[in-house]
Amino acid sequence: MKPPYYAVIFVSVRTEGDNGYGVTADRMEELVKDIPGYLGMDHARDSNSITICYWDSLEAIDTWKQNMEHKEAQRMGREKWYASYKLKICKVERDYSFEK
Amino acid sequence: MKPPYYAVIFVSVRTEGDNGYGVTADRMEELVKDIPGYLGMDHARDSNSITICYWDSLEAIDTWKQNMEHKEAQRMGREKWYASYKLKICKVERDYSFEK
């Protein structure tokens, strides 16, 4: 993927316990791969969690946002799984990579 | 901070051992706070590490990139600390937050 493309940054703090989160998270990771325009993901987690999904257009991001299963997961997220989160829609203007 | 602003996404995989990384990382975290236009940071780490710094302009990002101590840290990073990394310069176009 070459810029410009899009990144959706999701930074979250979970509530206590799993409450069905793990199964849904695995399912979403499967499901998102089938959305046209999905380019990949970076993820890391300690006391908070950062997931960054990459997309080829704002339309692709919106298609994922409107996906019925994903909408239900978003609702559950606000109801049960997240103490707080931040979501940022970004245009990637430049990128570099390094490999030893 | 209200969009538009900038995010620098840094996703890295470390080499084995500390090799002086920890001390420098702490120093960089101190130093970056004094750069005009720095807006904050999100960080999470497991097998890989994601650090996202937020900035009010591309000029502020460039000032930090050119900082002498930071340039030395970048050099050490490529020489010793990172097996690989990806760096992305992004314009944050929209953001949302949720708090329970």
Side-chain angles (χ1 to χ4, degrees):
Chain A
M1 51 192 182
K2 278 191 186 166
Y5 55 93
Y6 288 86
V8 178
I9 299 173
F10 185 69
V11 180
S12 61
V13 178
R14 294 269 305 283
T15 52
E16 287 290 308
D18 184 73
N19 307 309
Y21 170 81
V23 171
T24 304
D26 290 349
R27 172 68 184 147
M28 291 303 115
E29 213 178 312
E30 276 297 305
L31 203 59
V32 73
K33 289 176 186 159
D34 292 334
I35 307 291
Y38 173 74
L39 302 174
M41 181 185 291
D42 284 309
H43 179 69
R45 182 183 169 193
D46 45 34
S47 58
N48 61 14
S49 168
I50 301 179
T51 301
I52 309 170
C53 288
Y54 303 105
W55 300 90
D56 71 0
S57 68
L58 290 173
E59 291 68 32
I61 294 170
D62 200 55
T63 299
W64 175 232
K65 185 186 175 192
Q66 301 300 336
N67 176 281
M68 288 307 290
E69 267 190 80
H70 184 215
K71 275 179 96 84
E72 175 61 12
Q74 292 168 55
R75 197 187 61 74
M76 293 287 282
R78 285 187 296 270
E79 193 179 307
K80 292 193 175 180
W81 301 324
Y82 298 116
S84 64
Y85 65 72
K86 297 183 286 184
L87 185 94
K88 296 171 198 287
I89 315 280
C90 312
K91 187 177 198 173
V92 181
E93 300 190 338
R94 283 182 280 161
D95 65 8
Y96 312 88
S97 65
F98 166 81
E99 196 116 13
K100 220 185 183 73
Chain B
M1 50 192 184
K2 277 189 186 170
Y5 55 93
Y6 288 86
V8 178
I9 299 173
F10 184 71
V11 180
S12 61
V13 177
R14 294 268 307 281
T15 52
E16 286 292 307
D18 184 73
N19 307 310
Y21 170 80
V23 170
T24 304
D26 289 348
R27 172 68 183 148
M28 291 303 114
E29 213 178 312
E30 274 300 302
L31 203 58
V32 73
K33 289 175 187 162
D34 291 336
I35 307 293
Y38 173 73
L39 302 173
M41 181 185 291
D42 284 309
H43 179 70
R45 183 182 169 194
D46 45 35
S47 59
N48 61 15
S49 169
I50 301 179
T51 300
I52 310 170
C53 289
Y54 303 104
W55 300 90
D56 71 1
S57 68
L58 290 172
E59 292 68 31
I61 294 169
D62 200 56
T63 301
W64 175 232
K65 185 184 174 191
Q66 301 300 337
N67 175 281
M68 288 307 289
E69 267 191 78
H70 185 214
K71 274 178 96 85
E72 176 60 14
Q74 291 168 54
R75 198 187 62 75
M76 293 286 283
R78 285 186 295 270
E79 194 179 306
K80 291 193 174 178
W81 301 325
Y82 299 116
S84 64
Y85 65 73
K86 298 183 286 184
L87 185 93
K88 296 172 198 286
I89 315 280
C90 313
K91 186 178 200 173
V92 181
E93 299 191 338
R94 282 181 279 162
D95 65 9
Y96 311 87
S97 65
F98 165 81
E99 195 116 10
K100 219 184 187 70

